[in-house]
Amino acid sequence: ESNDNDDNTIRLPKLPKARMASLRTLYDPLSDDNVDKRDPLDSALVLTFPGPNSFTGEDIVELHCHGSRAVVQGVLSALSSLHSRRIPDRRRSRSMALRPADPGEFTQRAYAHGKLG
């Protein structure tokens, strides 16, 4: 269970409505405590797919960023810096972990949740 005063907890901005693409500015969440001073990484389309009505049956967030190597590396680096941080789950009283998916993991999760024949 997360503690809002814990230095290891990331506070996320409000996510877009489910299945509605929203143009958002992506920032490195660890670059500065003051959001107004953070340098933007990219402008990206952000989509959310809450479970159980997603492909995997779980909550999913998609980031559609520009494809340059610098942008992709910056976004991946920012996301990987969150690996050891807790992200509060607003819909449940717990924290979520963030990590890259393994090859075939989305299909495996969809199958495990009865989403595939």
Side-chain angles (χ1 to χ4, degrees):
E1 194 166 309
S2 71
N3 177 351
D4 287 339
N5 296 325
D6 187 349
D7 287 340
N8 203 33
T9 300
I10 295 294
R11 285 150 196 83
L12 295 175
K14 186 176 179 184
L15 293 172
K17 292 180 182 180
R19 293 174 185 74
M20 297 287 290
S22 179
L23 185 62
R24 300 290 175 96
T25 302
L26 304 181
Y27 298 92
D28 184 340
L30 304 181
S31 63
D32 196 313
D33 288 338
N34 185 342
V35 175
D36 295 331
K37 293 183 180 180
R38 293 183 184 160
D39 291 327
L41 294 170
D42 192 23
S43 291
L45 289 177
V46 177
L47 294 102
T48 61
F49 300 92
N53 298 319
S54 67
F55 174 73
T56 63
E58 301 170 327
D59 295 342
I60 301 290
V61 175
E62 288 186 4
L63 304 176
H64 296 256
C65 61
H66 292 89
S68 75
R69 290 181 185 163
V71 167
V72 171
Q73 182 57 43
V75 171
L76 290 176
S77 177
L79 291 172
S80 69
S81 72
L82 298 175
H83 179 67
S84 62
R85 306 291 291 248
R86 290 200 317 262
I87 303 169
D89 185 340
R90 293 183 175 124
R91 296 189 315 149
R92 299 173 187 93
S93 60
R94 64 177 175 86
S95 293
M96 300 177 285
L98 179 69
R99 65 171 180 77
D102 293 327
E105 183 174 356
F106 284 107
T107 303
Q108 290 172 352
R109 287 176 175 265
Y111 183 77
H113 290 105
K115 295 290 187 169
L116 302 176

